[in-house]
Every structure is written in C-alpha cells, then in structure tokens.
C-alpha cells in the first residue's frame, strides 16, 4: 500500500460550497437558483440588522441592502446553513476581546434562538482578523471562519479558522476556474474543494445574475463527481476524516466518529462506516477481519 487519501461523501473527489454575507433580501433569488441546480451553501447573518430596510452607496452603486426578517430565516434559508457575521458587522480588530466575544456570542445566541439551529460558523466582517480575533472565535465555539483572501486554488485548509476561499463570484477567471475544477484532477490524487463567496446584492448592482446562473448550470453537469455541501458539512466531514485511526502497518482503519468516511487506498475507494474498524489493504486478509 502506497497512498491513503481522503475522498468526499460517496467517494467523490471534489466538493463545491458557497458563502454569502449580510442576510440581504437578494439572498432569496440566489437561493432559488441554488435550489434549481442543487447547490448548497452558507449564509452569514448579522442578527442586529435583521429586518432592516435600507439603501446604501456601496462600490459606486446605490444599493438596496434591506435584510431578511428574523421570523423569515428558517423559510428563506431552508436546506442551507446559517452562520455568524458578528452581531453588528463590527470590524473586530478595532476592539478588545470583551467586545469581540460579545459580537460573536450575541450573534450566535440570537440566530440560534430564531432558527433552533446550532450556529458555529463565521465570516469575518470586512474580511479583517488577527490572532486575537481567532483565539476568541475558538473560545466561543466557532468551528470555522471565512476570510476574503482568494486563493484561486482548490486546496482544503489546514486551519478552518483561517479559511481562505477559492474566489469571489466577480473573479474574471471564474469560468476558467470552474472548468479546471470540473475537468482536471490533482496530480497526486488529492481531493479538491471549490469555495465561492460574495454578497447577493452585488448581482443587482451589476445586473449580472447570469454570471452565477451560468456557473451553477455548468457545475450541475458534473454533479455525479461533485459533492455540493454547506461550509459546515465540509468542516464536519474533514474533521471526522482527520480523526481516523490506523494500525501501525496501515492495514486497518477505525472510524470513531458519527459520520461514514470515504478514503482512497492506492486509488481504490473504500467507505469506513461510523464506529467501524476494517481492513483497508487491497487483497490482504487481515487477522480477525475480512479480505478486502
């Protein structure tokens, strides 16, 4: 046996996720498109701004930034994930850790009350953060946090509290990235993750809803090979994979988690069931186990 590598759900080698900020009314149109093409994603909300009716001048555009009402959240974001974006969208590097904690905890508390869901994801307001902000996030139970530092790559982060996305939807090379993601494979067989982010109101600003529909339509053609998941689903799965335990000779794998995990062993896909211990060496009869 030479290689053991992670695969995504059902043995898929690729995953796609989205992350959209601020809880604006335009999210509904975006979600309608996502549902049409069976795309899943995460929406980052500021609890103090819910139900706001407002226009703002953003990036040279007179923009409707009105937001979803608290009582509408579960209906609007049904089948998608809700995450935090700080209670009042405050720049967290400009305040002390007490205020950072308040911004995160208060947002989580309100969103969890409105939705009856656990909220443990985050997107940094204005994309800014430092080590102190990351430490506070970790101490308040946040499992992952998205930056705005676009990588134009498909790698899985080592540190999910500094999760750099692949690109914003305004990326000029968006469809080229999508084509590479769908049609190419990693030289060493590693799984790929495409992470898209933005604000739904930006499609109204530039009148380019066709951009996101073109992307979703293209990706949907490859749905047999792509796991479409929320940010939180990807984090839970990758963290579960990282908890797999292997025998010293690599012939056995034990999955102590509540999720089924897929791996590739020398290119052969295997499912390690939740709580299961199995022989993963191709063609070998493991003592006390079955030949795989």
């Amino acid at each position: 046996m030479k290689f053991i590598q992670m695969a995504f759900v059902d043995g898929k080698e690729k995953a796609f996720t989205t992350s959209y900020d601020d809880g604006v009314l335009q999210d509904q149109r975006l979600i309608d498109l996502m549902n049409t093409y069976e795309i899943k994603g995460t929406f980052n909300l500021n609890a103090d701004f819910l139900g706001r009716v407002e226009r703002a001048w953003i990036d040279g555009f007179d923009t409707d930034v009105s937001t979803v009402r608290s009582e509408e959240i579960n209906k609007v974001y049904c089948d998608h994930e809700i995450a935090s974006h700080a209670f009042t969208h405050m720049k967290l590097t400009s305040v002390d850790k007490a205020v950072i904690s308040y911004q995160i905890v208060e947002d989580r508390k309100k969103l969890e009350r409105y939705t009856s869901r656990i909220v443990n994801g985050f997107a940094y307001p204005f994309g800014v953060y430092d080590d102190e902000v990351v430490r506070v996030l970790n101490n308040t139970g946040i499992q992952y946090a998205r930056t705005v530092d676009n990588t134009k790559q498909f790698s899985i982060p080592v540190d999910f509290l500094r999760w750099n996305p692949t690109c914003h939807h305004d990326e000029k090379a968006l469809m080229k990235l999508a084509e590479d993601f769908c049609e190419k494979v990693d030289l060493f067989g590693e799984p790929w993750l495409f992470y898209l982010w933005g604000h739904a109101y930006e499609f109204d600003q530039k009148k380019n809803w066709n951009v996101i529909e073109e992307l979703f339509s293209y990706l949907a053609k490859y749905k047999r090979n792509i796991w479409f998941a929320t940010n939180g689903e990807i984090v839970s799965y990758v963290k579960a994979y990282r908890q797999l335990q292997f025998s010293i000779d690599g012939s056995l794998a034990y999955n102590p988690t509540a999720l089924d995990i897929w791996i590739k062993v020398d290119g052969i896909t295997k499912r390690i069931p939740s709580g299961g211990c199995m022989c993963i060496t191709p063609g070998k009869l493991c003592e006390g186990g079955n030949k795989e």
Side-chain angles (χ1 to χ4, degrees):
M1 180 170 54
K2 297 178 181 178
F3 297 106
I4 298 176
Q5 296 164 313
M6 186 185 77
F8 289 116
V9 170
D10 294 329
K12 296 178 179 180
E13 295 181 348
K14 297 174 182 179
F16 178 83
T17 193
T18 66
S19 177
Y20 277 80
D21 296 349
D22 299 348
V24 290
L25 296 181
Q26 295 90 336
D27 284 351
Q28 182 63 75
R29 183 173 177 180
L30 177 61
I31 287 169
D32 288 344
L33 285 173
M34 294 173 73
N35 292 343
T36 296
Y37 295 102
E38 300 181 348
I39 307 292
K40 294 184 74 175
T42 297
F43 292 84
N44 311 295
L45 310 185
N46 313 102
D48 194 46
F49 291 168
L50 294 174
R52 173 184 62 183
V53 178
E54 185 176 343
R55 300 190 71 87
W57 194 258
I58 301 176
D59 298 330
F61 296 92
D62 178 24
T63 307
D64 184 357
V65 291
S66 300
T67 56
V68 175
R69 299 196 306 270
S70 59
E71 62 269 25
E72 298 175 322
I73 294 177
N74 279 328
K75 179 181 179 181
V76 171
Y77 299 104
C78 180
D79 298 325
H80 299 275
E81 182 187 17
I82 299 298
S84 173
H85 199 32
F87 186 54
T88 65
H89 203 280
M90 180 175 287
K91 184 177 179 180
L92 298 180
T93 54
S94 64
V95 294
D96 65 20
K97 62 183 179 182
V99 178
I100 299 171
S101 295
Y102 173 79
Q103 285 286 321
I104 299 163
V105 171
E106 190 67 13
D107 203 39
R108 283 195 65 188
K109 183 171 67 175
K110 291 287 179 63
L111 293 176
E112 289 177 346
R113 181 184 303 162
Y114 298 148
T115 64
S116 297
R117 308 187 203 178
I118 293 176
V119 174
N120 55 22
F122 194 79
Y124 293 106
F126 307 104
V128 297
Y129 66 97
D130 56 22
D131 290 344
E132 182 67 18
V133 173
V134 173
R135 280 192 292 269
V136 176
L137 281 172
N138 189 50
N139 290 337
T140 54
I142 295 296
Q143 297 296 303
Y144 70 86
R146 193 212 76 222
T147 75
V148 296
D149 301 323
N150 303 317
T151 66
K152 299 183 185 179
Q153 298 177 355
F154 311 121
S155 56
I156 296 169
V158 174
D159 182 359
F160 279 109
L161 289 176
R162 297 174 174 85
W163 193 353
N164 299 325
T166 302
C167 68
H168 186 280
H169 64 243
D170 270 346
E171 167 60 45
K172 291 182 180 179
L174 177 63
M175 291 308 299
K176 178 61 168 61
L177 283 169
E179 290 169 5
D180 288 346
F181 174 70
C182 291
E183 298 176 13
K184 297 181 180 180
V185 295
D186 183 79
L187 180 64
F188 300 102
E190 293 294 331
W192 276 1
L193 169 64
F194 193 132
Y195 189 143
L196 184 77
W197 76 280
H199 306 83
Y201 63 69
E202 293 165 332
F203 298 116
D204 275 359
Q205 289 179 326
K206 299 183 180 180
K207 297 180 173 57
N208 64 348
W209 283 94
N210 61 295
V211 168
I212 197 67
E213 184 163 17
E214 180 185 5
L215 175 67
F216 289 167
S217 175
Y218 178 79
L219 292 170
K221 297 176 184 178
Y222 295 84
K223 62 183 179 181
R224 289 187 178 181
N225 304 319
I226 301 172
W227 178 37
F228 295 109
T230 67
N231 294 185
E233 287 171 334
I234 288 170
V235 172
S236 294
Y237 185 86
V238 173
K239 287 187 174 183
Y241 169 79
R242 290 173 179 173
Q243 293 182 62
L244 288 180
Q245 300 171 16
F246 296 92
S247 60
I248 197 69
D249 65 355
S251 64
L252 293 170
Y254 169 58
N255 177 5
T257 77
L259 298 177
D260 289 355
I261 300 297
W262 282 259
I263 64 174
K264 286 188 178 294
V265 183
D266 291 347
I268 299 174
T269 302
K270 295 179 178 289
R271 179 178 66 89
I272 315 297
S274 171
C277 184
M278 61 182 292
C279 178
I280 61 171
T281 303
K284 181 177 180 179
L285 180 64
C286 298
E287 187 174 347
N290 297 319
K291 185 176 180 180
E292 290 294 314

